[in-house]
Amino acid sequence: MSEDKSYSYEQAGVSIAAGNALVKAIAPLAKSTARPGADAELGGFGGFFDPRAAGYKDPLLVAANDGVGTKVKLAIDHDRHDGIGIDLVAMCVNDLIVQGAEPLFFLDYFATGKLDNGVAERVVASIAEGCRQAGAALIGGETAEMPGMYAAGDYDLAGFCVGAVERGEQLTGDKVAEGDVLIGLASSGVHSNGYSLVRRLAADKGWKLDRPALFDPDRLLIDHLIEPTRIYVKSLLPLIRGGKIKALAHITGGGLLENIPRVLPKGLHAQVDADAWQQPRLMAFLQAQGNIEPEEMARTFNCGVGMILAVAPADVDAVLADLAAAEETAFTVGHIEAGTRGCTVSGSVETWSARAPWSATHNA
């Protein structure tokens, strides 16, 4: 009669030692994000944050969570893990700032089939960088090693962020009025939406991502596609606290057409003029390669605009000056008028497509 075999967790594909080593390695990264209210130490069962130490008297807490989507697959396939964590943070903190909330602390979730500490450290380092850009403390997270759940080398990310705004100072869009001006902030690229279409085009068209882009011979195509999402928090927070912004719309999935109406009261309609800014070369490349209709572009991609501000006409010049001082590329893109709550984006041949003029409307 044979002895029963002794099993271990590591034989099943999970290394507790590797997980502990990763926690030890990333602890300094978390500590580098410390801010008033949090010391960003790792190792406990939860992370503490003190709103009073952060200067708040009667705060409303605002929470957001998100992922990076299939841009992660692009990072995995091309060994570009050093910016994907910025995308993760950006998707959460840019959603918080549109509520008028300052991001306070962030937690991440990293899931993989087999833990590769080298890759995981690079990802967490980029998460920490995103937190520093946003002024949020990385106070904890979870690393899950799950054999059989992911293909070799694959991983996925999720992020969770909590922010605060003093009671009565939150942005809800209720102050937006007819005649208000829309200001756009330039995006840094595709950001983190539409990558299933990007990857489909890359496969169908046989793009060589490790070669210079057709529209930019000085930079590889993969570098354009993997560019991290811009974080707008530090540029916008002073304007919000100064009362110069009535509403903000983060241009993510759904593009311009579907995100702007989310911050409009009933009875108001956003008119966006696509001729007001030059479509980035990357966006023009994507549109041309996929023969993408203008309306589809305005619903799928940010089209070069990562954030929209609604501002009173009297404040436009001051806001543009403040944004320029904050090193943002900003431009007026439209206005608010009476009508069914929604958004119309219109443009001409120079900006959007070979068939002009065109107009696309989304009503909420």
Side-chain angles (χ1 to χ4, degrees):
M1 186 174 179
S2 61
E3 291 186 12
D4 289 338
K5 180 181 178 180
S6 178
Y7 287 83
S8 71
Y9 208 8
E10 186 152 2
Q11 288 173 336
V14 179
S15 173
I16 295 174
N20 291 338
L22 178 61
V23 171
K24 184 176 181 180
I26 65 178
L29 297 173
K31 194 168 183 64
S32 73
T33 69
R35 53 152 296 156
D39 59 16
E41 292 280 358
L42 295 184
F45 286 92
F48 287 94
F49 192 93
D50 183 355
R52 290 187 179 179
Y56 287 91
K57 297 177 181 179
D58 185 19
L60 294 175
L61 297 182
V62 186
N65 74 294
D66 212 334
V68 184
T70 59
K71 189 175 185 178
V72 169
K73 186 60 175 172
L74 202 64
I76 292 167
D77 290 346
H78 296 274
D79 192 31
R80 301 299 181 103
H81 312 287
D82 302 299
I84 202 71
I86 298 175
D87 287 293
L88 182 66
V89 175
M91 287 295 98
C92 296
V93 300
N94 285 342
D95 276 354
L96 291 182
I97 197 67
V98 302
Q99 310 295 320
E102 175 191 10
L104 299 178
F105 58 86
F106 188 88
L107 300 98
D108 69 281
Y109 176 77
F110 179 98
T112 187
K114 178 67 176 177
L115 190 60
D116 181 331
N117 279 9
V119 169
E121 286 179 37
R122 291 165 65 188
V123 172
V124 176
S126 66
I127 292 172
E129 172 58 25
C131 287
R132 289 190 292 269
Q133 290 183 22
L138 179 58
I139 65 170
E142 171 70 7
T143 300
E145 193 173 23
M146 299 184 287
M149 286 289 290
Y150 297 88
D154 280 357
Y155 62 83
D156 198 11
L157 298 172
F160 309 85
C161 194
V162 172
V165 57
E166 291 288 4
R167 191 180 304 274
E169 296 180 6
Q170 64 269 26
L171 294 181
T172 63
D174 62 326
K175 296 180 180 178
V176 177
E178 184 179 357
D180 284 345
V181 176
L182 298 176
I183 295 175
L185 299 186
S187 65
S188 56
V190 183
H191 282 186
S192 297
N193 299 98
Y195 275 90
S196 293
L197 177 53
V198 170
R199 292 173 53 247
R200 175 66 179 271
L201 283 173
D204 288 357
K205 301 296 181 180
W207 294 350
K208 304 297 183 183
L209 274 63
D210 58 349
R211 295 182 182 176
L214 293 176
F215 54 89
D216 183 2
D218 297 324
R219 195 177 187 204
L220 301 181
L221 180 54
I222 183 61
D223 291 332
H224 279 280
L225 295 177
I226 208 71
E227 182 73 30
T229 304
R230 187 164 182 81
I231 292 174
Y232 300 101
V233 171
K234 292 184 178 179
S235 300
L236 292 174
L237 199 56
L239 293 173
I240 293 169
R241 289 174 170 171
K244 294 180 180 178
I245 296 178
K246 291 189 174 185
L248 290 166
H250 184 198
I251 309 305
T252 55
L256 295 161
L257 283 174
E258 296 186 8
N259 282 292
I260 298 176
R262 295 170 66 181
V263 298
L264 299 181
K266 289 183 178 180
L268 293 180
H269 193 90
Q271 288 285 349
V272 176
D273 179 10
D275 291 328
W277 73 98
Q278 182 65 45
Q279 185 178 194
R281 293 175 298 171
L282 172 58
M283 295 293 170
F285 170 77
L286 293 173
Q287 184 175 16
Q289 288 282 300
N291 191 29
I292 302 172
E293 293 291 339
E295 183 174 352
E296 184 70 12
M297 286 292 296
R299 179 172 277 111
T300 303
F301 297 114
N302 63 56
C303 299
V305 181
M307 188 75 73
I308 292 284
L309 294 65
V311 177
D315 291 329
V316 171
D317 289 343
V319 168
L320 289 173
D322 288 344
L323 290 169
E327 300 183 346
E328 296 288 354
T329 300
F331 31 81
T332 58
V333 300
H335 64 277
I336 301 297
E337 61 184 36
T340 303
R341 183 170 62 187
C343 177
T344 296
V345 180
S346 57
S348 66
V349 63
E350 292 81 11
T351 307
W352 290 101
S353 78
R355 295 181 295 279
W358 74 276
S359 178
T361 298
H362 173 78
N363 293 321

